[in-house]
Amino acid sequence: MVTRKGLVVVPELPEPEPEPGPWARLRAELPAVQTLVRLAKRARPTSLRTWQVTTAATVLGSLIAAGAVVAAGPWDSAGQRTAERQWAAERGSGGGADHGGPGGPEGPKAAPSAPAVLTALGVPGDAGPGRAGSGAVPGAVPSERALKALLDPLLADPSLGHGRSASVVDVATGRHVYGHAGDKALPPASTTKLATAVAALSALGEDHRFRTTTVLDGASGHKDGGHGSTPRVVLVGGGDPTLTARPDRGGPDAGASLRALADATAHELVARHVTRVRLAYDDSRFAGRRVHPIGRNENLAPVTALTADEGRLDRSTSGPAPRSADPSGDAADAFAAFLEERGVHVTGKRSVARAGAHAERLAGVSSPPLSALVERMLTDSDNDIAEALARHTAIATHRRPTFAGGADAIRARLADLGLPVSGAHFADGSGLERADRLTADLLTSLLALAADPDHPELRPVLTGLPVAGFTGTLAQRYGTGADRAATGLVRAKTGTLTGVNTLAGTVVDADGRVLAFAFMAAGTKSPTATSAALDHLATALTQCGCG
């Protein structure tokens, strides 16, 4: 239990941690064959239309191809199959799910923008990449009457608790095609991260990177046991939530390396004939309290501008884990050890100090682009990344980089984008705070905006969504019963707190139309039963020929 102001607060339930093994993400080809048969039976007239053949062929082909390459990979550092992510982005050139390697000492070039993945679905030819395939024309926009007949009985499931809402939007037209209390503000849990992603991408740009640097503050040197003036190196945190101190973090989306920064820093020091330094660290880029309002929690480390491996005290890379109480100090200690290994002796204890205005730059490493961070945040439901991005959004919009400042910045950015924020309340960037309130209408509007051709910078919001039965927090869902038909066809962000379950994402329906959906449930009793009920709703949309 976590106590706060004399009250007992039920600890939040973490998002399910995905299994690391690739075989767990693959389903046998049989469900895809069954899907093809169902599509054939549903065809109107009796012969299959072009989009139906291409749709089924795409689903079946992707699963067969997955089986063919699984033994060799490639799988990225977040446990998501690189090839599947590229396929999900329509195998466009550049951008998409993989945005370049880890930041080197000189800082990598900006990554290209993510490709359009859900645009112009009604236009034939290459202008309309979608489930139906190039050149295919989807069916009519689903009717509200048909969706009401389909979804209303499923929403009546008692496992959805006493507070429930739903919204469905046709992405190509932006038309709201179904709603059930869609303007009712409910706790969103981790679907809050959709709002955080849109706000950060719009404020900073998808190619933005966060830099961790070192500077030489020679003016602050002091006499040290007869060794003369000892210069001070300051490790300056840039608020990169993916910085790593581990030697084995590879892959295209791996974080910047603290070891690489030590390499470059030692090289610059030796070139200046400096082999003895004092070490300080500067984590002043973020302000305010560091511990989340819910208290110490294995779902989130104290939020600082200097942290390595999210302050994890085990070897995990996602999900709940024991966390450091002082991520900044631990990162500085690790950096001092790396300098020692590289021939630079660090004297005394590390200290906290702001880098001087005239300090001499030594080296720096850059994070992957923001597009990759957003994808990782959404796929893994990464709370550390979410809270860091909320603070960076605050900085970009001239607010204090605190929990409150980040929350205010997110709401303001969404309002500036013309999104329906009436009734919405943000208390953090991750959704761990139970005071957060969003509406289903806002969640579907966020997804529809991310698919808008006029906002390509928001496309990582879509490409980062977990894929049903394959990746992230949906890797172990949609694997049984009728929901198996939706494997690979539902992409959605999950949300789970005690008594709260949400699901928001996109599907391609049986007529080839892309739909954005949001289903929210509050006052729930069984997370397992409620998650299943939400999955049934999304599955129903994939099977709907409701035009």
Side-chain angles (χ1 to χ4, degrees), residues 28-71:
E29 289 102 33
L30 179 58
V33 176
Q34 293 170 335
T35 300
L36 178 59
V37 173
R38 281 193 297 272
L39 291 173
K41 291 180 178 179
R42 191 180 291 116
R44 299 180 301 270
T46 55
S47 60
L48 285 171
R49 285 179 283 181
T50 301
W51 76 261
Q52 290 173 310
V53 176
T54 54
T55 295
T58 298
V59 174
L60 179 57
S62 66
L63 288 173
I64 293 174
V69 303
V70 68

Side-chain angles (χ1 to χ4, degrees), residues 19-407:
E19 293 291 332
W23 288 110
R25 294 171 175 82
L26 298 177
R27 296 287 181 262
E29 289 102 33
L30 179 58
V33 176
Q34 293 170 335
T35 300
L36 178 59
V37 173
R38 281 193 297 272
L39 291 173
K41 291 180 178 179
R42 191 180 291 116
R44 299 180 301 270
T46 55
S47 60
L48 285 171
R49 285 179 283 181
T50 301
W51 76 261
Q52 290 173 310
V53 176
T54 54
T55 295
T58 298
V59 174
L60 179 57
S62 66
L63 288 173
I64 293 174
V69 303
V70 68
W75 294 81
D76 66 22
S77 59
Q80 185 161 353
R81 187 167 62 82
T82 303
E84 190 279 325
R85 297 171 76 189
Q86 292 171 334
W87 169 80
E90 290 299 320
R91 292 169 288 191
S93 60
D98 296 313
H99 302 272
E106 299 303 319
K109 296 180 180 179
S113 298
V117 293
L118 296 174
T119 57
L121 287 173
V123 180
D126 292 337
R131 173 180 169 188
S134 179
V137 179
V141 176
S143 72
E144 184 175 1
R145 179 177 180 180
L147 286 173
K148 184 176 177 63
L150 176 72
L151 298 179
D152 277 1
L154 297 174
L155 275 172
D157 189 323
S159 68
L160 292 174
H162 58 71
R164 60 195 74 181
S165 67
S167 176
V168 181
V169 169
D170 178 70
V171 168
T173 63
R175 186 185 306 175
H176 187 267
V177 292
Y178 177 80
H180 177 92
D183 60 352
K184 182 179 182 179
L186 292 172
S190 280
T191 53
T192 300
K193 295 181 177 72
L194 294 171
T196 302
V198 168
L201 287 165
S202 66
L204 297 164
E206 74 271 30
D207 297 326
H208 188 84
R209 298 173 187 260
F210 307 114
R211 283 184 65 76
T212 306
T213 60
T214 53
V215 297
L216 184 63
D217 193 357
S220 63
H222 69 286
K223 300 295 181 179
D224 183 17
H227 292 283
S229 180
T230 304
R232 183 176 69 181
V233 170
V234 182
L235 174 63
V236 184
D240 177 5
T242 63
L243 183 69
T244 180
R246 297 176 183 174
D248 55 350
R249 288 292 300 275
D253 290 346
S257 171
L258 198 60
R259 293 169 183 264
L261 181 58
D263 285 338
T265 301
H267 176 80
E268 293 297 325
L269 290 172
V270 171
R272 291 167 172 77
H273 306 289
V274 175
T275 58
R276 186 181 183 88
V277 298
R278 294 178 299 126
L279 180 66
Y281 67 88
D282 180 354
D283 62 356
S284 61
R285 186 160 183 79
F286 292 167
R289 61 177 296 171
R290 300 183 175 192
V291 176
H292 192 280
I294 66 172
R296 292 290 302 274
N297 193 286
E298 290 194 345
N299 289 297
L300 177 67
V303 181
T304 78
L306 177 62
T307 183
D309 302 299
E310 299 182 337
R312 295 174 180 272
L313 299 179
D314 58 15
R315 301 297 296 171
S316 66
T317 58
S318 64
R323 305 300 184 109
S324 167
D326 182 15
S328 296
D330 287 353
D333 288 342
F335 187 72
F338 296 153
L339 287 181
E340 291 277 358
E341 292 172 0
R342 288 153 180 79
V344 176
H345 180 57
V346 179
T347 67
K349 295 182 178 180
R350 44 92 171 159
S351 60
V352 180
R354 288 200 176 217
H358 302 291
E360 182 181 1
R361 178 185 181 277
L362 290 173
V365 290
S366 295
S367 73
L370 179 58
S371 53
L373 269 62
V374 163
E375 288 178 329
R376 175 173 162 183
M377 173 184 71
L378 295 176
T379 299
D380 293 339
S381 200
D382 193 305
N383 299 306
D384 299 86
I385 295 178
E387 295 302 344
L389 296 190
R391 279 164 166 72
H392 283 295
T393 303
I395 293 170
T397 56
H398 310 292
R399 291 170 170 82
R400 287 195 77 216
T402 63
F403 282 107

